[in-house]
Amino acid sequence: MLELLCMIPFLPFAGFVILTLIGRRITDRLAALIGAGSVAISAIITFVVGYNFLVLPPAGHPYTQVLWTWMRIGSFTPCISFYLDPLSLIMILVVTFVGFLIHLYSVEFMKGEEGYSRFFAYMNLFVGSMLTLVLADNLVLLYLGWEGVGLCSYLLIGFWYKDPANGRAAIKAFVVTRVGDAAMAVGLFLLFTNLGTLNIQELMGLASQKWPIGSGIAAAAAVLLLGGAAGKSAQLPLQTWLPDAMAGPTPVSALIHAATMVTAGVYLIARTHVLFTLAPAVQTTVAITGAATLLLASISAITQRDIKRVLAYSTISQIGYMFLALGVGAWSAAIFHFMTHAFFKALLFLGAGAVIIGLDREHDMYKMGGLRKQLPVAFWTFLIGSASLSALPLVTAGFYSKDLILWQVWASDRGSILLCAGGVAGAFLTSVYTFRMLFLTFAGNATSQVTRKPGPLMKIPLITLAVLSLIAGLIDIPATLGNLPTLSEFLHSALPPVPMSHANPLIEGKLQFITSLLALVGIMFAYRIFLHSPQHTGRAEEIKRSPIATAIHCFLFQGWNFDLLYDKFIVQPFVRLARFNRGDFIDFIYTGIALFIRSFNRVLSFTQSGKVRWYAAGLAVGAVILIGIAEFL
């Protein structure tokens, strides 16, 4: 059954091709059946392949399926081939299953929208590209999937292209991530010129054999790959595109944030972990980047009014936790949090979509409120997702994965108290902005009337994801609560265990208690400020109206003004340089060629007089000249 592996990415691609060719000539129902059905079958095949991989593992454990040689350039012969191991299996299980639930939700959410079949075509291409990325056995094929998800993000963020703001957001996402993509491409060239291959497993083996720890070449390659990962996963300093990506339809936001694209950077670093192990300084940079990103994004999330932008900054922050784990060598913990995050973040985005569509496209949380009774399914599932995001202790999946990250950051040989403190502070901030969002949206007095309630196709994904957001964490239970690290042990054949010289169950228990207490304190803080005490809210608004507080709030609301910084110091200087350099020497050459061609054209145009006698004379003179040349030369 492992031979069916190639069908997993093939089916979404097939759905894309069919919808592209005949999408305009078929009904919306058939378009939805093709779009959602192709991903559903892909998910079923993934479970079948995964079951066979677990029960009857292939010799050597990983499984490689070579389909054909892609290109042949001397000794460079990359193939279209897929590599299945525990890491890629976890990734494709999440991508196909969560991707199917989002497709199912979209069938109802996008009903009546112009470009219905086009939407599903793009979504299928998105899922197929992500599956290609995570299954690729070489970095060339991985890069193809990498660019594929970048293209799809542009198409889907700008899906409602008639609004210029959506087009600008799509272009911004495409351009900002292209910075990282360019760095990654240079990194691939560097690896190939030094090691002679881009097959991932061969590459990692040769790197560990030829390069010592601290190697400059390994560090350069790791930095360039980190640039690509930071761009796709919206980490500092390339995080600015993600909040604006909320211009796309809500299912697009769920797919980008939960199962595809933003997790591609996490996968890339985990898959090439050997390079980062050989470059300790770069690996530490990964951890620092993650810690700084999660704190900055959490603080910005507290100031947002748009419910989807809160979730966007939340995604940046949670990916920061994954980078923090990767940076200290906690590879399995990062993938564990990727899995739980996919469930509760998809749930929160789809719940937000139910609210937005129910209030006739309203995004402002301050214009919501009191929706608990009008949208009960959305409320209870959103509450579960919020609890999991806030890592509510013992009963949510987010608690187990986030706890594992913080503990391993503390205990790892590469960890530190400062990095752990950053993660703990982020846990408090997460619970504050998450329950602020919940209280403003669902609690208090009703200020708006729901005009459209979610139907079965929207409720089923919400309920399914809510269940997973509660129980998925039980797949990896810490030592203090029973010691059942099933997922971590499963991943150890693909990812090495974290070296922990500071492991102490007593300290682990204390850390769990502190983070759990901070999560509960954050919830109570949000409750007191935004729901329970109107005078506190009024006092907060009064403070916010002071000039200094207004400036700080605006600064944080604008995402720490990174866009302004880039505009002032990169975009505008580049535009001025381009204008100044408009008439440079290189342009003069091409301008001169064009001038010569135009002048020669004017001269030749005089010969087109329309007089037959002159044409005949010209032919005669030309014939005489040619005969003379032939005769004398």
Side-chain angles (χ1 to χ4, degrees):
M1 299 300 287
L2 293 178
E3 292 77 13
L4 294 174
L5 182 65
C6 63
M7 297 299 294
I8 296 172
F10 172 77
L11 287 168
F13 281 135
F16 161 73
V17 172
I18 294 171
L19 290 171
T20 300
L21 294 177
I22 64 171
R24 292 185 178 182
R25 297 190 293 274
I26 60 177
T27 64
D28 286 354
R29 178 174 293 184
L30 183 56
L33 181 62
I34 295 170
S38 61
V39 181
I41 299 172
S42 179
I44 294 170
I45 294 175
T46 301
F47 281 105
V48 172
V49 169
Y51 175 79
N52 279 268
F53 185 82
L54 293 172
V55 175
L56 299 170
H61 205 57
Y63 172 74
T64 301
Q65 184 180 38
V66 180
L67 299 181
W68 65 83
T69 299
W70 186 1
M71 60 185 84
R72 192 181 299 276
I73 307 173
S75 60
F76 181 56
T77 56
C79 296
I80 302 295
S81 54
F82 300 125
Y83 182 81
L84 185 67
D85 68 348
L87 174 57
S88 55
L89 177 59
I90 294 296
M91 296 294 294
I92 62 174
L93 283 169
V94 172
V95 171
T96 55
F97 184 67
V98 175
F100 163 66
L101 292 176
I102 294 171
H103 274 71
L104 183 64
Y105 178 97
S106 302
V107 172
E108 182 179 330
F109 184 91
M110 296 299 292
K111 187 176 181 180
E113 290 286 348
E114 183 181 355
Y116 190 80
S117 62
R118 175 168 58 90
F119 174 82
F120 281 101
Y122 293 165
M123 293 281 277
N124 276 191
L125 181 61
F126 207 162
V127 172
S129 297
M130 186 65 186
L131 291 169
T132 301
L133 188 160
V134 299
L135 284 173
D137 86 324
N138 63 81
L139 289 175
V140 182
L141 186 58
L142 184 150
Y143 194 71
L144 177 66
W146 189 274
E147 291 299 325
V149 296
L151 169 65
C152 293
S153 70
Y154 168 78
L155 295 173
L156 286 166
I157 293 168
F159 179 76
W160 289 316
Y161 59 88
K162 293 182 180 179
D163 186 344
N166 297 342
R168 287 193 296 270
I171 292 172
K172 182 178 180 180
F174 194 76
V175 171
V176 173
T177 57
R178 197 61 57 243
V179 175
D181 294 354
M184 180 180 172
V186 175
L188 300 190
F189 283 115
L190 180 64
L191 289 170
F192 180 74
T193 54
N194 282 275
L195 298 176
T197 182
L198 286 177
N199 179 282
I200 297 173
Q201 303 310 312
E202 293 178 7
L203 196 68
M204 296 303 103
L206 289 171
S208 60
Q209 292 172 17
K210 293 187 175 183
W211 294 337
I213 294 177
S215 165
I217 299 176
V223 165
L224 291 167
L225 293 185
L226 174 58
K232 275 290 187 288
S233 293
Q235 297 294 284
L236 286 170
L238 299 177
Q239 82 287 1
T240 58
W241 67 270
L242 195 58
D244 290 347
M246 299 303 97
T250 301
V252 173
S253 304
L255 193 61
I256 290 176
H257 290 247
T260 63
M261 189 139 175
V262 295
T263 58
V266 177
Y267 172 77
L268 175 67
I269 295 176
R271 178 56 78 192
T272 59
H273 64 274
V274 172
L275 290 176
F276 291 87
T277 303
L278 294 173
V282 180
Q283 190 174 355
T284 300
T285 302
V286 174
I288 294 172
T289 299
T293 303
L294 74 89
L295 289 173
L296 267 63
S298 295
I299 294 170
S300 288
I302 296 175
T303 65
Q304 303 302 309
R305 297 177 64 98
D306 186 323
I307 187 172
K308 285 177 65 177
R309 287 183 74 89
V310 175
L311 293 173
Y313 279 107
S314 170
T315 297
I316 297 173
S317 178
Q318 296 305 304
I319 300 292
Y321 274 104
M322 299 177 208
F323 268 60
L324 175 59
L326 295 169
V328 300
W331 316 106
S332 299
I335 301 304
F336 184 27
H337 196 57
F338 150 76
M339 184 188 72
T340 61
H341 174 263
F343 297 145
F344 63 69
K345 188 53 61 68
L347 171 60
L348 289 169
F349 266 110
L350 299 186
V355 172
I356 291 168
I357 202 170
L359 298 180
D360 196 23
R361 308 292 179 183
E362 181 59 69
H363 287 236
D364 191 340
M365 294 183 296
Y366 284 88
K367 295 180 181 179
M368 298 176 185
L371 298 177
R372 179 174 61 85
K373 294 182 179 179
Q374 297 185 67
L375 296 171
V377 174
F379 166 69
W380 287 109
T381 55
F382 201 91
L383 175 61
I384 292 171
S386 299
S388 192
L389 172 58
S390 301
L392 203 66
L394 303 180
V395 294
T396 62
F399 164 76
Y400 293 96
S401 58
K402 190 177 291 185
D403 169 73
L404 185 61
I405 288 176
L406 295 176
W407 166 236
Q408 294 191 351
V409 168
W410 172 277
S412 170
D413 294 347
R414 297 186 183 278
S416 71
I417 296 175
L418 286 177
L419 290 174
C420 186
V424 171
F428 169 75
L429 294 170
T430 299
S431 61
V432 173
Y433 71 69
T434 302
F435 276 83
R436 167 184 176 264
M437 172 177 59
L438 178 77
F439 293 145
L440 290 176
T441 303
F442 291 99
N445 297 321
T447 58
S448 302
Q449 188 64 36
V450 173
T451 58
R452 177 180 169 184
K453 295 187 177 182
L457 295 183
M458 291 174 66
K459 289 180 180 178
I460 291 172
L462 289 173
I463 295 171
T464 304
L465 290 167
V467 172
L468 291 171
S469 297
L470 291 175
I471 67 172
L474 300 178
I475 199 172
D476 209 297
I477 299 175
T480 54
L481 298 174
N483 194 26
L484 191 64
T486 307
L487 181 65
S488 296
E489 291 179 351
F490 175 64
L491 287 169
H492 282 169
S493 62
L495 300 170
V498 57
M500 294 193 298
S501 59
H502 310 294
N504 185 322
L506 184 61
I507 297 178
E508 183 178 6
K510 290 180 179 179
L511 185 61
Q512 287 172 347
F513 176 77
I514 292 171
T515 54
S516 299
L517 181 62
L518 284 175
L520 295 172
V521 169
I523 294 171
M524 289 303 299
F525 179 80
Y527 173 76
R528 293 286 296 178
I529 295 297
F530 300 105
L531 181 63
H532 176 69
S533 181
Q535 63 267 28
H536 287 181
T537 305
R539 195 176 303 135
E541 291 296 324
E542 184 179 344
I543 294 172
K544 196 169 69 175
R545 282 194 292 269
S546 68
I548 296 177
T550 299
I552 294 173
H553 182 272
C554 183
F555 176 72
L556 299 177
F557 181 79
Q558 296 294 338
W560 300 73
N561 273 345
F562 274 89
D563 282 327
L564 179 63
L565 180 71
Y566 294 157
D567 185 62
K568 290 289 185 184
F569 292 99
I570 298 178
V571 177
Q572 291 184 18
F574 183 82
V575 171
R576 285 195 293 268
L577 179 63
R579 289 173 178 169
F580 173 77
N581 201 39
R582 184 178 296 171
D584 64 7
F585 177 72
I586 300 299
D587 287 341
F588 176 75
I589 295 174
Y590 294 106
T591 303
I593 293 173
L595 179 63
F596 172 76
I597 292 173
R598 286 198 300 268
S599 301
F600 191 63
N601 174 260
R602 292 192 188 99
V603 172
L604 289 178
S605 67
F606 287 117
T607 65
Q608 303 299 311
S609 62
K611 297 179 180 179
V612 177
R613 290 177 300 171
W614 285 103
Y615 294 163
L619 289 172
V621 171
V624 170
I625 293 173
L626 290 174
I627 292 171
I629 292 173
E631 182 69 25
F632 293 104
L633 298 180

